[in-house]
Structure formats: C-alpha cells, structure tokens
Amino acid sequence: MPDANSDTDADAVTDPGSLRTPIVAVLGHVDHGKTSLLDKVRGSAVSEGEAGAITQHIGATAVPLDTVSSMAGDLVMADDFDLPGLLFIDTPGHHSFSTLRARGGALADIAVLVVDVNDGFQPQTEEALDILQRTGTPFVVAANKIDTTPGWNPQADAPVQETYESQTDRARQRLDENLYEIIGELSDAGFSADLYWRVQNFQGNIGVVPVSAMTGEGIPDLLAVLMGLSQRYMKTEMEVDLTGPGKGTVLEVKDEKGFGATLDVVLYDGEIEEGDRIVVGGVESPIVTEVRALLRPKALSEIRTEAEFERLDSVQAASGVKLAAPDLDDAMAGAPVRVVRGRPLEDVIAEVEEELSEIEVDTADEGVVVKADTLGSLEAMANALREAEIPILRAEVGDVAPRDVAVASTANEAEHRVILGFNVDVLPDAEREIDQQDVKLFNHDVIYQLVEDYEEYVEERQREQQETVLDKIHRPARFRILEDHTFRQNDPAVVGVEILSGTIENNRRVAKFEDGESTRVGELSGMQEQGEDVDEARAGSRVSVAIDGPTVGRDIEEGDELWIDLPEKHAKILEQELKEEIPADEREALNAYLEKMRKRDPFWGK
C-alpha cells in the first residue's frame, strides 16, 4: 500500500513496544454521512458500556482496542492486535484532511472515503480521491446508507454479511447494483476495487465496506478493516518513541477565553509537556514559544459544543490536544509543531523551516491572488492551478484582507485582477475594496470548482472581447453578379447577387481580381432581400445590392465574381485571432482572399 509517512526519524530511538494509535481521516461529499458515521462510532461505544474508554480529544476521538473489539464482535479479537486502537480525526471533510500534513505527506495514516450508495460519486468525492491519490494515503470506501435500499430490513449493529444474508433477493439485488456502480466509478478513477471480503491483497485493491451510519450495520466490518490494514501494512510506522520530543501539525488556530490564541494540534510522534519549549510554523517566520497549558475536553463532551477543558501535564502520540502559549497569533493551520527538548534551538527552527519550504508556491510577475484556510489547502490549490496553467502572483494562508485586494488590483490583465479564495472569509474592509477596485472574487470550498469557475470567467471575458472585435472587423465574402439581374446600370449600380461564401455587410468596399491584381470597384450602399432592407446577408442568400461607383457593362459585368475588399490589418486579425470564431464558409472566403493577395505579396496580412 502506498506509504505517505515512511521517513521516520533515523535518530529516534523506537521501542518496538511503543506503538502509537493509527490516525484515521474521514472524507467524502457533503451529506454522504461523514459526521453521522463518526457519531455512530462514538455512540455505539457508549451503548456498549465503554463510555469511559472513549476519550474525546481536540478534533479527534480515540477508540481503544478493547472498545473496537467489543463493537466489532468476532471480527476483531483484541489478542490478534498490537496497536492500541484507532484515532479518528473528527473535523470531517477533505479540507481538513489536506490540512493534516506531516513530513511532506498526509498526516492521516489511513482514510475512510464515505460515499452514499444511492448518490454515488459527487464532485467532492472525486476531489477527495484526487487528494488521497496525490498523498498516497491508503483508504477504504464506506458505502453508506445501505438501510435506505427499498425493502431493506435493518439488523442494528450487525456485521454486513450477516445483515445482507437476511434481506430479500430484491433488496439484495438493488444494493448490489448500487455497490457495483461505486466499484465501477472507482475503476474509472484508476483504482482496482471490490467488496472488502473479496479483496485478497489490500495493497493493490481498495476494499468497499457497505455500512449504515444510522443502524450501525457494517460498522463492525469497517472497524475490522481499519484495524487489519493498520496492523498489517503500517505497524512499522506506528513505532514511535512515546517519550521523545513531540511532533505535531496545527489543525486550527483559535481564540479561547482566558487563554488568547491557542492551537488545536494533532500529535503524531513523541510527547509534549506543559512548560516545553516549542517551535511552530508562522506566517512570516517560525514562532518560538513555551507551552503554558495542555487542554482537552472533559469526558465525552463534544469539543464543538462544550468549552469545558481539563488540564493535562503531558500528552503522548497519537492524540489531539489544545495548546495554549504566548505569541501564537501568527501561527498557521497546517503548520508543523516541534518540541525543542534537549536539541539546539537552531536545528529545530531549521526543521520547521524545511517543512514549510516544501509548500513554497511558485509565483509569477503576473497572475491571480490565492488565499486558502490552511497550508495544506494552499498547497492543493497551487497544484490545481499549476495543472490548469493559471499563474499565481501571490499565495497566502488567511482570510481575504484589503492588502490582497490592493495587490490584485495592480494586475495589467483584467483576467488577473482576481482573488481565488478557498474556504476563507472576506474581511468587511476587503469587501468594500473589492467593489471599488474592480477586482473579481471567487470563493469556494471545492478546489476544482474554484478553478472551473475562474476558467469559465476567463473564457466568457475572451468571448466578449472577440465579439467586440468582430463587430468592428470587416467580414470576408465572395459573391457573384447574377445574369439578367441588372436593375440599374449606375449611380448607384443595382444588381442581383448570390453570396458564395462569407458575409456581406452594408458600407463595405467591393473589389474584383483581374490578372492577379485586386481592383476596388465601389462601395455597398444598400441591400434588399425579398423587398426588405437588410444590413447584412450570409452565404447561400440571393439579394439585390446597390454599389456606388461602377457602371454595369463597363466596370463590372453580369457573371463577375466580386469580393469584400478587406483591409490588411483586418485580414491579419481574422487569420491570427478570430479564425475559430467565424463560420466555416467565412473562413473559406478569407483563405481564398489571402491566397489571391499573397500571390502578389507573400507577406500580405502577416
């Protein structure tokens, strides 16, 4: 299985008995049941009488092995496992997943991609897959909401094969269709996948686990697969020095009453103690500070609804903890946190700087301004924009501020006077500036949607510009005077013509070619189609035209082929910039006209 976090510290003395908990991220499209799935895992543990065993961390829930075993029944025998359990990151959504980075990869050891069986793949599912693929994170697919299958008879908290066997043939068939649809979509995305009990080799294949976050069906299987994969393929990565200097990643920077700016941190290696000196990635440069307090929510209270913390003396990996310390205002979500303990401070600062330098975004002299909520998502944004060949002038973590608007407004090209915001707020002052400075803001929580919206905007602008240019450009056309259709010989000459290719418009000069030379014969001063005055006529039409200048029988004859006389500059723009914008017959008229003109002067219109 791809390995995102293999470069463990060579210096760290790892006691093979010190295994940390695998970190599990839950990803998926909105409304596909990420939060419900986590709630079910927590709730089931409580109903199993294991409430004391589950610990609520900051931004994470720790489920110890015994609890996993009691929830999964025969599928997980505690004696078969050395790992201490599972740590679920419970800030659902792949945006937080891409925030969680460590040593150049994803911080999560393993991920659960939640897909609604009825809904299949959605934009965020595809984006989550893209992130998983890029970070090389092993994952399983939880095919959620199997209980919504028509005719389904739920068996609360049962292993999935057990509940599957007890369904009617019709319900089973309907579920199978949906499951194979998901397996097909995974295949289209380049992943070999099957129902998890059919997968022999999880390193080359993705296991799909049918579950219901509402009834608990399949939850035992999901836990069993996560434990099995972690134990089998990632045990060496779980070997850490639990007493060594801690390493973590900032989940979020939050103001907390009584503490000021605090960091929600996921610790993935070593330990952190109150009083420890730490280095944290900051907006301008690494921040050196001292831990004043380590906080965790009390008992099972939900971190997002309960602000009651208990203080801890120390915390060991893997766990989520709130860290209070001075000078944290400039800390960045997604940045590394390192405990100094017994090492030269310069070395630790250099280590943090090195990790931050991996996220350096290539910028250009001209381009868009990018703002993202975390370092991880800034990196993902930069990758997506590079793939789409969209240049970046400046890229930073944080909300859209007036200075971002000022920078965007200096762009020479209108299509670069743009701010792309991923999952960020716009400060009130910046909103006013955006209106005044003629800067365009795109803000979204799906990266590819943001890129797509911007590309559509650029295309629309280019189309409008081309239409404006086309309005002013003389259009090419070739037409023929019809026999027996002279209505007036001169002042002006009025004749019937057939348009062979292109578009003829009023007030355009008319030419004809004689002996390879273009001779101007007059100017169109009027046009009628079926007795009605018209401003233009297209290929295939027959119209009568008034031409100021020539006399029929002397300057022009019935049967003559005439052309709209194109100014050289117009011919050049048509050929070089607008060729794709004009109809095929107009292109034909243009090419024929250019060919005639270039026989005399090979560089005409170039």
Side-chain angles (χ1 to χ4, degrees):
M1 190 149 291
D3 174 1
N5 300 339
S6 58
D7 56 330
T8 44
D9 248 349
D11 313 332
V13 183
T14 59
D15 165 5
S18 305
L19 293 175
R20 71 160 170 83
T21 322
I23 299 168
V24 185
V26 182
L27 295 82
H29 190 70
V30 287
D31 303 332
H32 279 198
K34 301 183 298 279
T35 309
S36 315
L37 199 62
L38 283 164
D39 287 346
K40 189 66 190 174
V41 169
R42 281 195 285 258
S44 302
V46 175
S47 64
E48 289 283 347
E50 298 283 347
I54 281 229
T55 52
Q56 192 64 38
H57 293 207
I58 295 288
T61 303
V63 187
L65 178 58
D66 290 348
T67 311
V68 173
S69 183
S70 67
M71 287 164 67
D74 295 342
L75 294 178
V76 176
M77 295 299 185
D79 297 347
D80 297 341
F81 293 89
D82 309 323
L83 294 171
L86 297 167
L87 183 76
F88 285 92
I89 299 294
D90 59 15
T91 43
H94 57 264
H95 118 74
S96 65
F97 173 78
S98 60
T99 304
L100 295 171
R101 55 188 324 286
R103 295 159 296 188
L107 175 58
D109 301 298
I110 192 164
V112 178
L113 179 62
V114 183
V115 183
D116 181 332
V117 281
N118 307 300
D119 229 4
F121 274 33
Q122 295 298 317
Q124 280 171 301
T125 321
E126 287 169 18
E127 185 154 80
L129 260 184
D130 185 45
I131 292 168
L132 288 169
Q133 206 163 13
R134 208 167 48 234
T135 54
T137 307
F139 69 98
V140 294
V141 172
N144 190 25
K145 306 192 186 181
I146 59 171
D147 58 301
T148 59
T149 305
W152 191 263
N153 177 25
Q155 320 282 312
D157 302 322
V160 75
Q161 281 177 286
E162 196 179 293
T163 187
Y164 181 85
E165 292 304 326
S166 67
Q167 304 302 324
T168 63
D169 287 348
R170 191 173 174 82
R172 279 206 297 259
Q173 188 185 340
R174 279 181 162 166
L175 177 61
D176 286 348
E177 283 169 13
N178 284 344
L179 290 171
Y180 282 109
E181 184 80 20
I182 290 172
I183 288 167
E185 288 180 299
L186 281 162
S187 171
D188 292 344
F191 294 95
S192 170
D194 208 340
L195 297 170
Y196 88 89
W197 56 85
R198 295 192 185 138
V199 174
Q200 298 294 311
N201 171 16
F202 278 90
Q203 276 186 290
N205 298 280
I206 304 301
V208 176
V209 186
V211 299
S212 164
M214 299 313 290
T215 65
E217 293 165 288
I219 298 289
D221 309 67
L222 184 62
L223 293 169
V225 171
L226 291 171
M227 283 302 298
L229 283 176
S230 303
Q231 172 86 10
R232 183 150 182 202
Y233 298 114
M234 291 178 282
K235 193 173 157 186
T236 52
E237 286 151 53
M238 302 305 118
E239 289 173 5
V240 292
D241 178 5
L242 291 178
T243 57
K247 295 181 177 183
T249 297
V250 179
L251 252 186
E252 227 175 313
V253 184
K254 280 185 188 165
D255 274 326
E256 213 63 68
K257 219 174 180 179
F259 293 104
T262 66
L263 304 181
D264 289 0
V265 173
V266 173
L267 190 70
Y268 59 81
D269 198 349
E271 83 171 338
I272 191 162
E273 294 178 345
E274 195 172 307
D276 267 336
R277 200 174 191 197
I278 58 169
V279 179
V280 183
V283 175
E284 299 296 335
S285 58
I287 299 160
V288 181
T289 185
E290 209 166 274
V291 179
R292 276 195 189 147
L294 295 167
L295 307 165
R296 208 173 258 170
K298 284 182 178 168
L300 249 180
S301 57
E302 212 349 318
I303 179 59
R304 280 168 295 207
T305 55
E306 187 61 67
E308 288 296 298
F309 302 114
E310 57 177 325
R311 283 182 83 144
L312 307 167
D313 296 330
S314 68
V315 178
Q316 291 188 321
S319 54
V321 66
K322 184 177 280 292
L323 186 153
D327 308 321
L328 291 176
D329 293 314
D330 277 351
M332 286 188 292
V337 178
R338 295 284 182 272
V339 172
V340 178
R341 201 185 299 166
R343 296 184 290 163
L345 178 63
E346 302 74 55
D347 292 1
V348 184
I349 290 173
E351 195 180 308
V352 169
E353 281 176 337
E354 189 185 344
E355 192 167 316
L356 288 174
S357 72
E358 291 175 5
I359 313 168
E360 285 291 302
V361 175
D362 290 336
T363 54
D365 294 337
E366 265 283 320
V368 297
V369 172
V370 178
K371 296 300 295 252
D373 57 344
T374 71
L375 274 174
S377 37
L378 190 68
E379 186 177 34
M381 273 285 293
N383 286 337
L385 292 172
R386 187 168 58 242
E387 279 166 26
E389 297 181 350
I390 297 167
I392 299 170
L393 175 65
R394 188 159 88 180
E396 288 180 345
V397 170
D399 292 332
V400 177
R403 68 194 182 110
D404 299 314
V405 184
V407 170
S409 68
T410 61
N412 295 325
E413 304 280 331
E415 61 200 51
H416 291 152
R417 285 198 283 277
V418 166
I419 299 171
L420 301 181
F422 175 72
N423 233 19
V424 290
D425 291 329
V426 182
L427 301 176
D429 293 356
E431 269 183 13
R432 281 195 293 277
E433 290 288 314
I434 285 168
D435 292 339
Q436 288 167 6
Q437 298 288 351
D438 190 26
V439 167
K440 185 90 174 149
L441 171 73
F442 295 91
N443 204 350
H444 215 287
D445 61 357
V446 178
I447 289 174
Y448 95 87
Q449 194 63 59
L450 199 52
V451 175
E452 217 168 74
D453 289 352
Y454 174 68
E455 286 178 327
E456 278 174 18
Y457 164 72
V458 171
E459 276 171 28
E460 182 60 35
R461 275 196 64 85
Q462 286 171 346
R463 216 174 14 254
E464 283 170 10
Q465 282 169 339
Q466 284 171 341
E467 281 168 10
T468 310
V469 172
L470 259 180
D471 284 345
K472 295 174 182 166
I473 287 266
H474 292 192
R475 313 283 282 272
R478 177 169 70 96
F479 52 104
R480 185 175 70 84
I481 302 174
L482 296 166
E483 275 84 359
D484 302 326
H485 276 72
T486 300
F487 306 116
R488 186 170 170 169
Q489 274 191 296
N490 58 11
D491 293 331
V494 178
V495 291
V497 299
E498 178 185 14
I499 303 160
L500 303 171
S501 59
T503 304
I504 63 171
E505 299 167 304
N506 253 335
N507 307 315
R508 295 287 182 256
R509 288 170 177 164
V510 177
K512 73 173 182 177
F513 286 94
E514 284 177 311
D515 305 324
E517 286 287 327
S518 167
T519 310
R520 190 176 293 161
V521 294
E523 188 171 314
L524 291 174
S525 58
M527 209 183 307
Q528 281 196 341
E529 190 168 16
Q530 293 173 345
E532 296 286 322
D533 286 341
V534 290
D535 290 326
E536 64 169 49
R538 294 273 299 113
S541 307
R542 288 186 166 203
V543 290
S544 58
V545 294
I547 309 174
D548 276 336
T551 300
V552 180
R554 189 175 68 204
D555 306 302
I556 54 175
E557 305 283 350
E558 290 184 353
D560 273 356
E561 186 174 81
L562 301 179
W563 300 76
I564 293 296
D565 184 25
L566 283 185
E568 187 172 6
K569 187 180 175 186
H570 292 215
K572 183 177 180 176
I573 292 171
L574 279 165
E575 184 181 34
Q576 293 178 10
E577 295 174 35
L578 298 172
K579 212 165 187 180
E580 295 307 309
E581 307 303 314
I582 58 178
D585 63 284
E586 237 170 80
R587 277 202 294 277
E588 185 193 313
L590 173 67
N591 291 338
Y593 188 79
L594 287 170
E595 197 180 315
K596 284 180 177 292
M597 294 301 279
R598 285 173 185 168
K599 273 183 181 159
R600 187 173 45 83
D601 174 3
F603 296 102
W604 193 88
K606 285 190 173 177

